[in-house]
Amino acid sequence: MTVTADMAISLDGYIAGPNVSLDNPGGDGAEPLFEWIHNLASWRERQGMTGGEENRDSELMREWFDATGAVVMGRMMYDTGEEFWGDNPPFRTPVFVLTHRPRPTLVKEGGTTFTFVTDGIHSALDQAKAAAGDRNVDIAGGASTVQQYLGEGLIDELQLHVVPALLGAGLRLFEGLSAAGRRTLEPVRVVDTPLATHLTYRFVK
């Protein structure tokens, strides 16, 4: 089992624009970070849509979906996605939501369940590992959630989709990283497409 994080990032190192909020989860000007995903066949399929492009980017997205057996996310990501995801969310696996507000577990169509975890990031990860079986656990976001897991040295593999865009300001993935998070990385794979450069790194134990 591998604990992964999969993030779109601008060429100048931002994973969100300025002024992130519940109404503006990506921050100001962050649209280029995610536009490349929306027409991929594998992404559209998971959203219950048809069509889309079958290309190398779509293959990488499908690979991530297929390898993931459980997901951890922050409450903001859940709150901003809940209505959009509807009754059949795209995860199709158990999802563990970090929160300070307890809520009963939600069972959705397609194999997705949302369990709300109030006792911290380690508890959420332990529960996700137990649920994932021999598949991966993905720390899905938002940005601050991924930063917390990076800072504790709990992520094994990091995939960055470097988008050819300059945001100029916002939230940097590695800013303020604690000593526990500053570990050596080894490259696993580089895939370059017209839409993004996909970089996969593994943290050295």
Side-chain angles (χ1 to χ4, degrees):
M1 175 190 295
T2 302
V3 179
T4 66
D6 188 285
M7 304 291 290
I9 187 168
S10 69
L11 193 59
D12 52 348
Y14 294 99
I15 54 175
N19 302 314
V20 171
S21 68
L22 191 59
D23 295 324
N24 187 27
D28 296 342
E31 293 81 5
L33 293 181
F34 310 105
E35 287 172 346
W36 65 277
I37 298 172
H38 296 158
N39 201 39
L40 302 181
S42 57
W43 187 89
R44 293 178 63 84
E45 175 189 323
R46 282 291 180 126
Q47 314 303 319
M49 298 183 286
T50 59
E53 296 182 17
E54 284 287 4
N55 53 25
R56 188 68 178 111
D57 305 278
S58 185
E59 290 173 1
L60 293 172
M61 185 68 64
R62 183 174 288 108
E63 178 185 282
W64 175 84
F65 282 134
D66 290 346
T68 300
V71 171
V72 177
M73 69 174 61
R75 185 63 187 251
M76 179 180 285
M77 181 175 177
Y78 174 79
D79 285 345
T80 57
E82 181 180 15
E83 183 176 346
F84 175 75
W85 296 326
D87 293 328
N88 190 6
F91 305 100
R92 303 180 189 175
T93 60
V95 179
F96 297 87
V97 182
L98 294 162
T99 184
H100 297 294
R101 291 172 283 155
R103 183 174 175 179
T105 296
L106 297 179
V107 179
K108 297 288 189 174
E109 298 173 14
T112 300
T113 57
F114 292 103
T115 300
F116 298 86
V117 181
T118 59
D119 52 349
I121 66 172
H122 293 274
S123 175
L125 182 57
D126 288 343
Q127 293 180 60
K129 285 181 175 179
D134 58 357
R135 297 164 74 196
N136 295 342
V137 172
D138 190 76
I139 311 301
S144 63
T145 297
V146 174
Q147 287 179 321
Q148 289 180 65
Y149 280 96
L150 280 173
E152 291 291 319
L154 297 173
I155 292 175
D156 302 317
E157 195 168 284
L158 182 64
Q159 182 163 232
L160 299 176
H161 309 282
V162 183
V163 178
L166 300 174
L167 296 192
L171 181 62
R172 293 185 183 275
L173 179 59
F174 302 109
E175 193 160 5
L177 199 61
S178 68
R182 294 196 293 271
R183 296 179 290 156
T184 302
L185 291 161
E186 61 180 15
V188 175
R189 180 175 66 183
V190 177
V191 178
D192 186 29
T193 77
L195 298 179
T197 300
H198 309 278
L199 308 173
T200 305
Y201 295 98
R202 183 175 295 117
F203 287 96
V204 177
K205 299 294 186 183

